[in-house]
Each structure stands twice: as C-alpha cells, then as structure tokens.
Amino acid sequence: MTQPFVLPHFYMPYPARLNPHLDEARAHSTVWAREMGMLEGSGVWEQSDLDAHDYGLLCAYTHPDCDGPDLSLITDWYVWVFFFDDHFLEVFKRSQDRDGGKAYLDRLPLFMPLDLSTPVPEPQNPVEAGLADLWARTVPAMSVDWRRRFSVATEHLLNESMWELSNINEGRISNPVEYIEMRRKVGGAPWSAGLVEYATAEVPASVAESRPLRVLMETFSDGVHLRNDLFSYQREVEDEGELSNGVLVLETFFGCTTQEAAETVNDILTSRLHQFEHTALTEVPGLALAKGLTPDEVGAVAAYTRGLQDWQSGGHEWHLRSSRYMNEGALEESRPFAVGGFGTSAANIGALLASAGAERMRAYTHVPYQRVGPSLLPDFYMPFGLNLSPHLDGSRHRLIGWMHSMGMLQEGVWDEDKLAAADLPLCAAGIHPDATADALDLSSAWLAWGTYGDDYYPLVFGHRRDLAAARLCTERLSACMPIEGDAFPAPVNGMERGLIDLWRRTTVAMTPEQLRTFRAAVDVMTESWVWELANQTQNRIPDPIDYLEMRRATFGSDLTMSLCRIGHGRTVPPEVYRSGPVQSLEKAAADYAMLINDVFSYQKEIQYEGEIHNGILVVQNFFGCDYPTALGVIHDLMTQRMQQFEHVAAHEFPVLYEDFKLTDEARAIMDGYVDELRNWLSGILNWHQQVPRYKSDHLESRSHGFLPDRGSALMLG
C-alpha cells in the first residue's frame, strides 16, 4: 500500500540506546503473563499476540539503563496495562456493560494499598492477579509519596476506559488546539513517568507536583502521542476510520494536504520537545534553587529528566522498527552516518538543524507594539441568558471607596478613571445575579483585586525585568492568607492590604481544609503572573498547549470556581470534583471565558502594551498565519468548548450522579453549580461587550503600558 505522506525529518537530539537485558525481559514477561492467566484461555491474547507486540523491545529502548530484574518488572507493567486495555474492550466495551465495567474498575484500587500490610482481595481475573503481583514487587523500593502518586495515575488511566464507555461518539473531528490536550488525557503519561522514576530516581516530594516537573511530564507525553499520530496515520485513518489523529485534525481544519498537515504535526512535536528542553534548562534549576534541593535531590531530578529523554528516543526507535506502523524507509533516513560514510548526509543534517533552529527562534522574534487596529469580534456562541443583580449601582459606588481605602488607586497603576473603565461590579452582577448586596460587594472586590494585580505585575516588575522582586511579592501575598491562627503580615502596599481584607471577609466560616484549597487557588493565579513575566523577559511567545494551561491560571479561573464551591459544604464528596466530567466541564468553561478576554483585548495587549500572552498571537506565531485566520481558530475553539460544556452537563453529569450514587441534595447542589457556571460565562461575555476597557476609542485616549520611550516612571497617561 502506498504511504499517504512522506514521514518528515524528526527532531530527536537524544540517541536511542538498547538495554542489554532485552532477551531476559522478553522471556520473563512471557512466563509471567502465562502465570497471571493472560495467554491461552483468557479469551483476549494468545502467545502469538504477545510475541507480535514485543513489549520487551519497547521497554528495552525506553529504559536503556535498567538492570535485568528492573527491566523485567517494567516490561511486566506494560504487558499488564495493554492486557487490561484489551480485556476491558472485550468484556465491557463491546457489550456496553456500564454496570459491570464500573464494578470491575472499583475493585482495582483495592490491589494498590499504600501500606503493604493491608490485605488485598482474592484476584478474580488476570488483570487483578497481575496488578496484585506487580504492586507487591514494585512499591517496597519506593516512598509512600511515590506510591500515592503512582496509584492515582494508575486509577486515572484505568478510569479513562469508563469515561470512554460513557461518552457518546459524536463523530466530530477536534479543533487543532483542543486536540492536543484531549490526546494527552487518554495517553497515560503520568503512569509511564512514574515507571521512569522507578527506573532512574524518585523525584523529591517537595517538587513532584510543581509546574516545571508537570511540564516535563506533559511535554514528554505530547511528544510520544504526536509521534505516534504520524507513524499510525495510515493504519488509524485509512484502515480503521479513526478520527483522533493529529494529521487528520490539521488537514481537516486548515483544508491543507496530508503532507502539509504531517509537516505541521511534526512542527508541533518539535515545539513540545523545545518546551521540554526550555523547562529542563531554565525552570527546573530555578525551582531547585527556590526549594533548596540538596545535591542528591538535584541529581535525582536530573536522572528523571534523562529518563524521560530516553523514553522519547527509545519510543521513536521502536516506531521505526515495528511492523505495526507506517515506517517504510524511515529507519534508513534516521541514520545519517550509515553505510555511505561519515559526512555523506551533511546536507540533510544542515537542513534539519536549520529547520529546528528556525522553529525554536520563531518564539523569540515577536516585535512588540505593532499597530493592529480595533479588535475583530466574531459572532460569539452563547446559549445562556444574562441576569444582572439589582445591587449593581450600589456596588459600583462602594467599590470606589474600598479601592481608595486599600491604597490601590494611589500607586500609579490605576486611578478612578481606569477603575470605572473596568467596571468590575458589572462583571460580578452577571456572575452572581442572586447575590446579596454584601456578597456582590465581596465578589466585585475580588475581581477588582485580581484584575489590578494582573495589571500591576507587568507594569511594576515587567518593565525593569525584576523577577526576584516579583517572586518576593508573590511569597508575601501568599503570607497574607494565613491558616490555623497564623498572624497577618504588616501590609506594605495596596495589593497586600486588599488581599488581607478580602481574606478576612471571605474565610470566616471556612474549615482549615477549605482555607488551604482556597489559598492554593489564589497562589496558582499569582504564581502564573510570574510565569508571564519570565516569558516577557525572554520575549518568548509560549506554544499553544503551554499557553492554554497557564492561561487558566492567569485568568483566575480556579479562584472564582473555588468561591462557588465553598458554599457547597460537605454534601458533595471531594472525589466528585476530581472526576473526569467535572474537570471537563470546568476546563471548558475556563477556556471559553479566558479566550473571550483574548479576543476583546487583542488591540489593547498587542498594540498598546507590547504583550505576548494572547491566544490569537500564540496561534499566529505557532501556525504562521495572519490575524483573521488565527481569530478563526480561537473562535472555533471557543464554540467547541461551549458545546463541550453543554454536552457534559446534559449527558455526562447524569451518569456521574449514578456512578457515585449521589443523594438528591448533592445532585441539586451540582445542578446549581452548573447554573452558576452558566451565569459566570454569560456574565463575563456581557462585561467584555459593555466596558470601555477594551474599546478602541478608550485605548486611544489612555496608554495601557510602558511604551519604549516612556522611561521608568510608573504613571499612566
């Protein structure tokens, strides 16, 4: 069969290495799979299936430095997870047996106790037998923190099978920006990364869930999945009719050829590897310094990072060799110093390096303060009606007094005119139409404080590139939210004074657990402002995936959603909020809202502020397209996110209620939460449409940032 496109030149700076214990792992995994009941008689696999899959070769390439026993154990884990996938398909997906699938999945965590002295049930099938054996062999060498993280990652990987069984197949091809995150969700990268830790070194608990290590894991995941999309296009799209393939997504959305789409997917893959390297070389060292890691801990993080690199290069090598994939001629192309002798492929190497260098540099070459004209506004899809609080006018008046009393109108960042142009009470009145006057005042003050801080950081710290001062400010803001009797610090500016006042007024009835959750939501937002400053300092436009994930934080989505949840009390179990449908609903809402802001603020940010953190600019830079085309991508993504919100609320929440056996009271609370998010979305869109802050005539009369010739004065025109 003719290949539908020529495989592109892959950026792979790490050489693949083969573990010398390959044969040992192959032999061991065969014996082990038979002992667990996975082969003859299982109804799922025969010996020939296991031989054809050759998980030993995969693991020998992806974990090249393991000793024999460790490589055999890791190979057993991969045998187990792939058997589980096929077993669940045969037993529950084909028959659409949701109840049986739910009961099956509910038992599996029982075989992963954090304390090995905890008894486990008697296994009832090969999946349970395999998990019990693997857990007992693996966890004695690892800390309780790793056990907890790996157990959660395993549960998430398994539970994705349930959500796939629950979801309706709509036959829809994703938006290109949306697709990459969806692809990662079902790929199990945290699970594989946990085994990389086992094979190399366990990362310190103090940094295991930090942004830099999360980005390492996620870029690792994206690299693995996008590479697979390129190699598996022919089998998935042409043979199986699969819609979830990055090449198909791009050729459909942009109307380009399959070859052009493949090249663009490779560009995205290269960008994610660049993001991995950028994070490893810039953010991880800073994290080690900030957290005071010991030399041994720094070495562990370095070994783990190297392990993820080995997985990338080893997985690439496996794709080049496996008969499962479209790889004709690819193995020879990947060997520039093969039979022809050293230097014979210098032209190809030079072209590849030039292409990779151009791709990397594109993110750093934006010219700020370009004249772009008024922001283009599409026809937004908004299925929810608007309601406004009757207390709006009074809240507007009272907010002015509060901002003056906190000192936030005397620092040169905002004055009364800028406060009026923002009109945050209008936003609060749409988000909380049924709030009392006091509650609306509190919501307005939180919105004003967050919007002020978002303006404050780039103006005060960004112009002089003072990241150290920004980090110190962020640490002090966190200290302004004490828990369990800690004292408030003496405020030194309006932001600290305002946050202390808001914390006192908001947290009166909160439990310590709720306090920690709420403070974490504020910390996520303020720390993301520092991330923006670091990019601004480097004049680095982030890639679309990194941007979307951090934009949720900079927009304050966690903060506003936490305010909604606080009133829910303990009626709704916390695991409901961690479930796939609730996470999907919240992310869809957050993405729609933050992209509204990007669309309306395009002229303000690009022309007047020299900003680089705008979704339209990110898409322009990444895909090399013009403003209207990039706006089309963002508008399409917004529409699809809103449709995803509607789909989850209508179809997945009823299933969620049944799965968790929620009481009528808990169901009513969750239904109310969906209504709150509907108000949140319609209120935010209305606010953007009404306020002067983003309108062209207002922008012409006011400067919103440091123009190049303005010096260091902290005054706004």
Side-chain angles (χ1 to χ4, degrees):
M1 183 184 295
T2 304
Q3 292 191 172
F5 58 84
V6 177
L7 285 169
H9 286 290
F10 290 95
Y11 173 70
M12 179 47 66
Y14 328 116
R17 297 175 294 129
L18 187 65
N19 193 301
H21 304 288
L22 167 60
D23 291 338
E24 178 183 342
R26 277 175 171 156
H28 179 274
S29 65
T30 299
V31 173
W32 181 80
R34 182 165 283 109
E35 289 177 348
M36 296 300 112
M38 297 177 182
L39 298 182
E40 292 77 14
S42 68
V44 180
W45 282 357
E46 301 292 333
Q47 178 69 53
S48 58
D49 295 306
L50 185 62
D51 292 342
H53 298 166
D54 202 353
Y55 300 115
L57 182 64
L58 170 65
C59 294
Y61 268 127
T62 53
H63 301 282
D65 295 322
C66 282
D67 62 20
D70 281 350
L71 182 64
S72 293
L73 175 60
I74 290 170
T75 303
D76 290 348
W77 270 111
Y78 278 89
V79 169
W80 173 81
V81 79
F82 280 103
F83 179 84
F84 158 79
D85 195 50
D86 288 351
H87 186 257
F88 194 85
L89 170 67
E90 291 295 332
V91 178
F92 302 109
K93 283 186 180 178
R94 293 196 191 282
S95 63
Q96 291 290 295
D97 182 4
R98 289 201 72 263
D99 291 339
K102 180 70 166 56
Y104 172 90
L105 292 174
D106 284 346
R107 276 178 55 87
L108 293 180
L110 300 176
F111 296 92
M112 298 183 289
L114 297 186
D115 183 350
L116 282 179
S117 65
T118 304
V120 299
E122 188 68 26
Q124 297 178 354
N125 55 59
V127 171
E128 292 182 354
L131 182 56
D133 178 77
L134 289 168
W135 191 257
R137 291 162 56 199
T138 305
V139 300
M142 309 302 285
S143 71
V144 173
D145 178 71
W146 181 91
R147 298 177 193 183
R148 176 186 57 80
R149 288 188 285 111
F150 189 67
S151 173
V152 169
T154 306
E155 287 184 46
H156 287 173
L157 180 62
L158 300 176
N159 287 337
E160 282 305 326
S161 298
M162 194 64 191
W163 300 124
E164 288 176 9
L165 181 57
S166 302
N167 284 338
I168 295 174
N169 183 0
E170 299 176 349
R172 178 176 70 87
I173 297 177
S174 303
N175 176 285
V177 177
E178 176 191 35
Y179 169 77
I180 297 169
E181 185 176 52
M182 289 172 57
R183 184 72 169 87
R184 181 194 304 155
K185 182 180 178 183
V186 298
W191 185 84
S192 289
L195 290 176
V196 170
E197 283 188 73
Y198 178 86
T200 57
E202 184 176 330
V203 298
S206 60
V207 298
E209 297 180 1
S210 64
R211 171 193 145 79
L213 267 70
R214 174 178 59 80
V215 173
L216 288 183
M217 183 272 293
E218 289 174 348
T219 51
F220 154 74
S221 167
D222 295 340
V224 170
H225 298 153
L226 291 170
R227 180 176 292 105
N228 181 265
D229 281 356
L230 287 161
F231 280 99
S232 62
Y233 177 90
Q234 190 167 36
R235 177 177 54 82
E236 291 182 345
V237 177
E238 296 187 348
D239 298 343
E240 300 175 4
E242 175 64 64
L243 299 181
S244 295
N245 183 285
V247 180
L248 178 65
V249 166
L250 288 179
E251 65 177 315
T252 302
F253 190 84
F254 288 115
C256 60
T257 67
T258 307
Q259 185 68 51
E260 290 169 336
E263 297 290 348
T264 304
V265 167
N266 190 46
D267 286 346
I268 300 172
L269 167 57
T270 301
S271 178
R272 297 311 283 157
L273 293 179
H274 288 166
Q275 175 70 50
F276 181 98
E277 293 162 350
H278 174 85
T279 303
L281 295 174
T282 63
E283 295 190 46
V284 170
L287 176 72
L289 207 60
K291 294 293 185 180
L293 298 186
T294 66
D296 286 346
E297 290 174 327
V298 172
V301 173
Y304 168 68
T305 304
R306 174 64 183 274
L308 294 178
Q309 292 174 338
D310 285 334
W311 213 112
Q312 287 280 2
S313 57
H316 183 74
E317 192 75 14
W318 186 63
H319 278 83
L320 291 173
R321 296 173 178 276
S322 174
S323 60
R324 181 179 175 87
Y325 300 110
M326 183 189 86
N327 52 21
E328 183 180 341
L331 192 60
E332 289 74 19
E333 284 289 323
S334 70
R335 297 288 183 272
F337 303 129
V339 181
F342 184 85
T344 57
S345 298
N348 286 339
I349 296 169
L352 179 56
L353 291 176
S355 174
E359 182 76 25
R360 190 189 297 268
M361 289 303 298
R362 189 169 65 189
Y364 297 88
T365 56
H366 175 66
V367 178
Y369 304 105
Q370 297 180 48
R371 183 170 296 278
V372 296
S375 296
L376 304 176
L377 303 179
D379 183 14
F380 296 101
Y381 175 59
M382 174 50 68
F384 313 131
L386 174 72
N387 298 297
L388 290 177
S389 166
H391 305 295
L392 172 56
D393 288 338
S395 187
R396 281 171 169 152
H397 174 74
R398 290 185 291 272
L399 181 63
I400 296 172
W402 183 78
M403 291 289 287
H404 271 297
S405 67
M406 295 299 107
M408 282 186 277
L409 299 183
Q410 294 86 38
E411 296 179 328
V413 177
W414 276 13
D415 56 18
E416 283 195 24
D417 180 60
K418 289 201 75 171
L419 179 62
D423 197 4
L424 278 312
L426 175 63
C427 191
I431 292 174
H432 303 292
D434 300 322
T436 64
D438 286 345
L440 188 66
D441 287 351
L442 185 61
S443 179
S444 298
W446 270 114
L447 291 172
W449 182 85
T451 307
Y452 177 82
D454 195 38
D455 285 353
Y456 183 97
Y457 267 64
L459 286 171
V460 175
F461 305 121
H463 179 63
R464 61 178 190 253
R465 290 168 167 71
D466 195 346
L467 288 174
R471 292 189 179 101
L472 178 61
C473 176
T474 305
E475 291 174 6
R476 285 188 57 86
L477 288 175
S478 187
C480 291
M481 300 177 286
I483 296 174
E484 296 184 300
D486 294 338
F488 287 98
V492 299
N493 57 35
M495 280 195 75
E496 292 184 6
R497 196 174 296 111
L499 183 55
I500 289 172
D501 180 71
L502 289 170
W503 189 255
R504 283 191 173 119
R505 292 160 60 191
T506 307
T507 62
V508 173
M510 287 189 192
T511 65
E513 179 184 357
Q514 290 173 326
L515 286 171
R516 279 187 286 271
T517 300
F518 188 48
R519 182 170 73 176
V522 179
D523 286 342
V524 163
M525 181 173 68
T526 57
E527 289 166 4
S528 71
W529 294 340
V530 179
W531 171 80
E532 286 188 325
L533 287 179
N535 285 332
Q536 200 86 38
T537 299
Q538 302 168 44
N539 193 40
R540 174 182 173 271
I541 299 177
D543 78 6
I545 299 91
D546 197 35
Y547 173 78
L548 278 178
E549 289 163 351
M550 290 303 293
R551 186 69 172 96
R552 294 172 187 146
T554 63
F555 190 68
S557 302
D558 283 353
L559 169 60
T560 51
M561 290 178 183
S562 293
L563 284 168
C564 291
R565 286 180 174 184
I566 286 166
H568 296 182
R570 297 179 178 275
T571 306
V572 180
E575 55 267 26
V576 171
Y577 291 119
R578 294 193 296 267
S579 68
V582 174
Q583 292 290 306
S584 178
L585 186 87
E586 291 180 340
K587 285 184 177 180
D591 290 351
Y592 186 92
M594 72 193 188
L595 292 172
I596 286 175
N597 183 261
D598 284 356
V599 171
F600 277 90
S601 64
Y602 185 78
Q603 183 185 24
K604 171 180 174 288
E605 293 180 340
I606 305 307
Q607 182 172 329
Y608 289 95
E609 297 177 351
E611 180 59 75
I612 58 174
H613 297 95
N614 182 287
I616 298 173
L617 180 66
V618 167
V619 171
Q620 278 182 264
N621 178 76
F622 191 84
F623 291 110
C625 57
D626 60 13
Y627 173 23
T629 302
L631 174 62
V633 174
I634 293 298
H635 182 221
D636 179 83
L637 178 60
M638 290 177 63
T639 302
Q640 293 199 27
R641 299 309 278 158
M642 179 62 79
Q643 291 170 342
Q644 174 73 2
F645 181 96
E646 294 179 289
H647 171 80
V648 172
H651 299 287
E652 295 188 24
F653 265 44
V655 176
L656 175 76
Y657 297 167
E658 291 300 317
D659 284 346
F660 282 95
K661 302 294 187 288
L662 294 186
T663 64
D664 290 343
E665 182 182 3
R667 295 178 189 220
I669 289 174
M670 293 305 296
D671 287 342
Y673 184 42
V674 174
D675 287 336
E676 289 174 324
L677 292 179
R678 289 173 177 141
N679 288 330
W680 188 68
L681 289 164
S682 61
I684 287 173
L685 177 59
N686 176 70
W687 176 72
H688 280 88
Q689 290 171 328
Q690 301 300 323
V691 296
R693 177 177 169 92
Y694 306 106
K695 298 186 184 302
S696 189
D697 55 352
H698 176 73
L699 295 171
E700 290 176 3
S701 66
R702 294 292 303 247
S703 172
H704 284 257
F706 288 110
L707 296 178
D709 60 351
R710 298 200 57 182
S712 59
L714 190 58
M715 296 297 292
L716 297 177

